[in-house]
Amino acid sequence: MLNRSRSTVLFTALAALMTVFLIIPFFLFLDIPVAQAVHPLKGTFAVKVGNMISWLASKNVIQTVTFFLLLAGALDGMIYGFGRRARSILLLALAPMAAMLIGDELKWFFGRYRPPVFFENGSYGFTWFSSEYMQNSFPSGHTLRAFSLASVLAFVLSRKKYIPLIVAVLVGISRVVVGRHYPSDVMFGGFIGVTCAVWGHYYLFREE
């Protein structure tokens, strides 16, 4: 158990370090050029597809899914015992819930301008402590929800673990394509989602 605890901490530290080293150059040099490159896509078929993909990880969809998963996991545990199946179902609910809670607080704390604000008046960066939608870009909520669910599914599925992760990546890309997020927002969201899934798995399955 001690080795697993250390490996989980090490994974988190390395993932955080890698995320920081990716976010900094994107924030300083690449976020705006990418946003400018996708901006002309506004109103095109690509954006319509992006919106459909984004919908898969919208807050209402994920909250509804996690609510029923939480009920299913609790009932399964009470009736059949909290074995691997019940804990897997609960993890599918708890990881996105934790990611959403953390993500909402970080969005408020950083208060980062969304791309539309840049194209409207040139504002870019952080305002700090803002609950305004157009100042809640960092991290991407859709991405953290998608990656938290996808990472849990990768843990619990016996085969084709890569499919949910591919869907999560597509959700992250869609947020940039539709012009709602910068790439660094997506990277941070992915890190939060994966980390919540990893730590949730550690706590629920550490006895195995």
Side-chain angles (χ1 to χ4, degrees):
M1 186 184 297
L2 185 60
N3 287 337
R4 186 174 178 184
S5 176
R6 287 176 178 172
S7 64
T8 304
V9 171
L10 181 61
F11 168 83
T12 305
L14 291 175
L17 192 62
M18 184 174 68
T19 303
V20 169
F21 277 110
L22 282 171
I23 286 175
I24 290 175
F26 267 87
F27 176 78
L28 294 175
F29 307 112
L30 297 172
D31 275 350
I32 290 178
V34 171
Q36 290 172 326
V38 301
H39 188 61
L41 296 175
K42 188 176 181 180
T44 65
F45 180 70
V47 171
K48 291 179 181 178
V49 173
N51 281 322
M52 287 189 290
I53 295 173
S54 291
W55 177 84
L56 296 172
S58 62
K59 198 166 190 176
N60 288 339
V61 169
I62 300 302
Q63 283 180 335
T64 302
V65 170
T66 54
F67 172 74
F68 285 108
L69 284 171
L70 191 62
L71 285 179
L75 287 172
D76 188 76
M78 287 187 290
I79 296 171
Y80 300 106
F82 287 94
R84 185 172 184 83
R85 184 178 63 189
R87 284 179 289 158
S88 295
I89 297 171
L90 287 172
L91 182 57
L92 281 167
L94 295 174
M97 289 170 64
M100 286 189 284
L101 178 62
I102 294 169
D104 285 347
E105 290 303 310
L106 290 173
K107 281 174 176 287
W108 169 81
F109 176 78
F110 287 108
R112 187 183 187 184
Y113 289 113
R114 291 181 183 269
V117 182
F118 172 78
F119 292 106
E120 182 180 331
N121 58 32
S123 296
Y124 178 75
F126 304 98
T127 63
W128 309 102
F129 311 111
S130 174
S131 57
E132 297 294 326
Y133 174 76
M134 281 299 174
Q135 297 172 4
N136 279 173
S137 189
F138 189 76
S140 164
H142 284 71
T143 307
L144 64 85
R145 290 189 289 271
F147 269 92
S148 60
L149 267 176
S151 300
V152 173
L153 287 171
F155 276 126
V156 302
L157 290 176
S158 58
R159 301 188 319 184
K160 298 184 178 179
K161 299 172 181 288
Y162 59 88
I163 293 178
L165 294 174
I166 290 174
V167 174
V169 169
L170 290 175
V171 169
I173 293 172
S174 76
R175 300 311 291 158
V176 177
V177 171
V178 302
R180 290 299 171 180
H181 284 286
Y182 293 105
S184 57
D185 302 331
V186 170
M187 293 172 190
F188 193 26
F191 166 74
I192 293 169
V194 172
T195 302
C196 287
V198 168
W199 279 97
H201 188 270
Y202 167 72
Y203 280 112
L204 287 175
F205 292 90
R206 57 182 172 177
E207 300 299 330
E208 292 187 357

